Amino acid sequence: MDCAYFDAGRCTSCALMGRPYPEQLAGKQAHAEALLAPFDVPVWMPAVASREDGYRNKAKMVVGGTVDAPTIGILDADGHGVDLEACGICSPGHRAAFPVLARFITLAGLTPYDVRRRTGELKHLIVTESPDGELMIRFVLRSTEPVPRLRKHLPTLLAELPHARVVTANVLPEHKAVLEGEHEIVLTEAATLPMRLNDVTMHLRPQSFFQTNTEIAAALYAEARDWIRDLAPDTAWDLYSGVGGFALHLADADGAGPEVTGIETSVEAVASAELSRSDAALSHLRFASGDATAFALGAAAGEAPDLVIVNPPRRGIGAELAGWLEASEVSHVLYSSCNAASLAKDLAAMPSLKPVRARVFDMFPQTTHFEVMVLLERRTLSVE
């Protein structure tokens, strides 16, 4: 993939841009294997390749420029807007929507936020596209002052973007380097975006995390389901469960799957997962808001399950949870990691849980990042 923005030095976020994709994928595979070499992974399955461009389902764009000439993209070192409306890793739906959104910013009088002067209102645009081509559009604002204008001109936006299912205003009053605030105002009748992966439909709420690459996420969940069905566990925990991707893929409508408990800190994500569970009438699943480590260590957790699924943020599961898993009677752990270095650190803290197989999933082409999933099995350590 080639990118004019990268070649011109306007955006260097994609560190591997211009490198042949087979070379990128081979490098990620080699990096994962090197980091996990101390654990003697017996089976490395072939890496799952992604499309090279248009793979992102979520675009997180900074709004700069002026109300009459807004930019949608990033800010340069001086705080000026750099327009990236034709960004090649964004989905075609994003790229089609950006010019419409730029016109709407002018129509609704949404003054871009000036980071240096701390003036203006519109900070970011967050646009998510579903597999069915529907959009969730979120305007991140400094205050609620522009909301009446958003409401007034919303019919025009929906007429130009008929696939826009959810439109919200997110309020971020603080001047700090974060993407969104806690307060969300839903402006459309629909409040969730259906994300249909494989035979599972998840309902994405505005502040819920979802894997960035829809096609690779579908492959990841399908592979996890295949690996786990071979184990036939009766009970499972899905820690860091997000909107329930792993848990929902384990469930059978007839109740034949395991009893699954999903734990996630984000209340919005839990609400999304519960809606998906309810819609699919999956009575043997439940989701709750809480800290994964605290849940595992807490007395309320009861007996250890047959299987624990962990899909933590980049920092990994940490010493406490790894220590609990090592000392527990959990027979299998499915670990999906977006940071192979923290995965290796966690595996070192769980010597009784041995890798059975592993696979790289290229969730982020053109960058150095990737997902790697490892199935671990408890084995008794030999005493010499």
Side-chain angles (χ1 to χ4, degrees), residues 253-277:
D254 60 3
E259 296 282 338
V260 184
T261 299
I263 301 297
E264 166 61 41
T265 56
S266 167
V267 174
E268 286 292 304
V270 171
S272 296
E274 273 293 298
L275 178 58
S276 302
R277 181 202 63 77

Side-chain angles (χ1 to χ4, degrees), residues 1-5 61 72-73 83-91 94-96 98-99:
M1 175 184 169
D2 295 316
C3 174
Y5 299 129
M61 310 297 264
I72 297 175
D83 197 85
L84 301 177
E85 288 187 23
C87 174
I89 65 171
C90 290
S91 74
H94 291 144
R95 297 196 295 270
F98 290 150

